[in-house]
Every structure is written in C-alpha cells, then in structure tokens.
Amino acid sequence: MSDGFDPELVPDARGATRRPEPECPVEVALAAISGRWTTLVLRELTAGPRSFGELRAALPTVSAKVLTDRLAELTRRGLVGKEVHAGFPTRTSYQLTTAGKRLRPLLVELYRTGAALLAETT
Amino acid sequence: MSDGFDPELVPDARGATRRPEPECPVEVALAAISGRWTTLVLRELTAGPRSFGELRAALPTVSAKVLTDRLAELTRRGLVGKEVHAGFPTRTSYQLTTAGKRLRPLLVELYRTGAALLAETT
DNA sequence: CGGGATCCTTACGGATACTG
DNA sequence: CAGTATCCGTAAGGATCCCG
C-alpha cells in the first residue's frame, strides 16, 4: 500500500493528496506562517509579550492595517493571545499561545534552510 | 550587543531585520516553498525525476500554466534541474538539484508542525 | 494608544485555446 | 508531449484618513 513517497516526508495519508488541501498538515503549517510580515511578528512575540505600539516600533514600516490583519489572523488560528487592559490610553498585549510556541522549531528550520541555500549559490 | 532575540531563532545579523528582506535566510527559504502547489511539486520530485506529464498525472487539477510557472521558478532558483530529451514527442525530465534536496528537512518540519497544530485544536 | 473604514493597485491563480 | 499565449476575477498588501 505504498504511495511511493518517502515515509518521513509523507508519514500518513493526510500528506498524500493530489491537490492543496487545507487539512493537510503541510498546508496548516504554511498557513500559520504565510503572509508578508508574519514571521517577523512571530519573531517579536517569541521574545516576549508585546503591545501593538511596541510591534510597530520594532517593525517601523509595517502599516497599521497589515499589522492588525496579521495579529487578527494569528489570533483566529489560536497562535496568539490578546489581552486588553482598560484605561486611557488603551493598552493591549499580544503573546504567543502554547500552540504558537510550537512554531519555533519551524522558524529555526526556515532560517537554517535559507542560510544553507544562500551558502550554496555563493 | 544582544538584539534581544533568542540566538537559536536569530543566529546572526541577517535575521535581525526590521522589515522583510529578500536576503534574510527566512525569506529565502519561504520564497523557495511559497506559492500554491509548490510543496506538492517538491514532494513529487523528492520521489525521483519526473516528466511534465507525470507531474500533471500526479496532480491532475493543476493547470499547465501554473505547473509551468512553478517549475520555472524552482529552476530559476536553482532548486530544480531540467533535461530535455530531443525527439518527437519531446520528453523532459525535472529533478531536484543538490540545493533542492536541502529543502527536505524543511518539508519534514512543516509536516511535523502542522500535525502538532492540528492535534492541539482537536 | 489602538485600531477601524476606505480606496487603490498589483500579483497571483485559474480557465481556455493554440503551437512546435 | 510539453509547453505558450491570453484573458480574467479575486485577494493581498499598502496608503490615507478617521474614531473611541
């Protein structure tokens, strides 16, 4: 019943699809880190909780709309948690959830792989 | 001179950017696997060399244009090699280069992470 | 401070038809 | 067989202005 794929690459049936499926683990992971600025936001939050303004300060050229979009999507996926502290001015705090912290090894591997590719062509 | 980031996540200055930079290793790796169908094409080629038609047969609902686009981009990046065997009908063969094979651990990690995220919410 | 509401532009993916 | 050439709709990213 082999599907012809390396079992380490495709360990179970969910990865043996013939087209992009949102339920495929690879697509799930890609969706989590996809979108411009997303990995940078995750990098910031990996260092600890951050407010909206702190994120903007760390990433000065991201627009408010895009940052809001990224945080909303990450929150929707359960990767980031949001706390609003009442008062004026309003203070918020974004932080990685347990699920969000699971992205860490993937980010490390992204860096490793990218560095290897860069070294290859140089 | 710490930048405040975890040194495993951001091992050198190339990862300490304040906006998306094409030279950042993370962006390089993301670019390599980005685009719909790309990881599926890579999965097929990981199993061995494939012709254009074989790839279409394995991924029946991908259009010729998109498949061409993906193969051209992967080839341009030096991740995939192309051999054209003269004759009629024309036969081609696409295969992973040494650089392309370096994407394998990343694909494995994508699957692992995605599976972990799916397990988390279920 | 922390966004929401608009508007705009372009990049991407897909469908269809055709060619060496 | 292995693509190329067009055309098209959508969605993503970004700029600007406004509000609680």
Side-chain angles (χ1 to χ4, degrees):
Chain A
M1 289 305 297
S2 164
D3 50 23
F5 297 121
D6 183 324
E8 196 188 1
L9 198 68
V10 185
D12 59 58
R14 294 173 298 175
T17 72
R18 294 161 78 76
R19 61 170 174 283
E21 304 275 6
E23 310 80 29
C24 171
V26 171
E27 298 287 330
V28 170
L30 279 175
I33 60 172
S34 77
R36 205 158 137 85
W37 295 98
T38 301
T39 55
L40 291 173
V41 171
L42 290 172
R43 181 195 66 186
E44 294 303 317
L45 294 180
T46 298
R50 293 287 185 273
S51 69
F52 191 86
E54 287 171 337
L55 291 172
R56 290 205 77 179
L59 309 171
T61 59
V62 69
S63 73
K65 182 217 172 192
V66 169
L67 181 55
T68 301
D69 286 354
R70 293 299 171 271
L71 290 169
E73 178 67 9
L74 289 169
T75 302
R76 201 184 62 75
R77 291 186 182 274
L79 303 169
V80 165
K82 173 180 181 175
E83 285 176 24
V84 182
H85 309 283
F88 188 85
T90 316
R91 288 225 136 257
T92 57
S93 171
Y94 294 94
Q95 67 283 144
L96 290 181
T97 62
T98 304
K101 290 175 184 168
R102 293 198 192 284
L103 294 176
R104 197 175 176 291
L106 176 56
L107 295 174
V108 171
E109 185 59 35
L110 276 172
Y111 202 108
R112 260 202 69 270
T113 301
L117 293 181
L118 285 170
E120 192 105 23
T121 51
T122 315
Chain B
M1 289 301 298
S2 163
D3 51 23
F5 297 122
D6 183 324
E8 196 188 2
L9 198 66
V10 185
D12 58 59
R14 295 172 298 174
T17 73
R18 296 161 77 78
R19 60 171 172 282
E21 304 275 7
E23 311 78 30
C24 170
V26 172
E27 299 286 332
V28 170
L30 278 175
I33 60 173
S34 79
R36 206 160 136 85
W37 296 97
T38 301
T39 55
L40 291 173
V41 170
L42 289 171
R43 181 195 65 187
E44 294 301 318
L45 294 180
T46 298
R50 292 287 187 273
S51 70
F52 191 85
E54 286 171 336
L55 290 172
R56 291 204 77 178
L59 310 171
T61 58
V62 70
S63 73
K65 181 214 172 194
V66 171
L67 183 54
T68 300
D69 286 353
R70 294 300 171 271
L71 290 169
E73 179 67 9
L74 288 169
T75 301
R76 199 184 64 74
R77 291 185 182 276
L79 303 168
V80 165
K82 175 182 181 175
E83 286 176 23
V84 182
H85 309 283
F88 190 83
T90 316
R91 288 224 136 257
T92 59
S93 172
Y94 294 93
Q95 68 281 149
L96 290 181
T97 62
T98 304
K101 289 175 184 168
R102 294 201 192 283
L103 293 175
R104 198 176 175 292
L106 175 57
L107 295 174
V108 171
E109 186 58 35
L110 275 172
Y111 202 107
R112 262 201 70 270
T113 300
L117 292 181
L118 285 170
E120 193 106 19
T121 52
T122 316

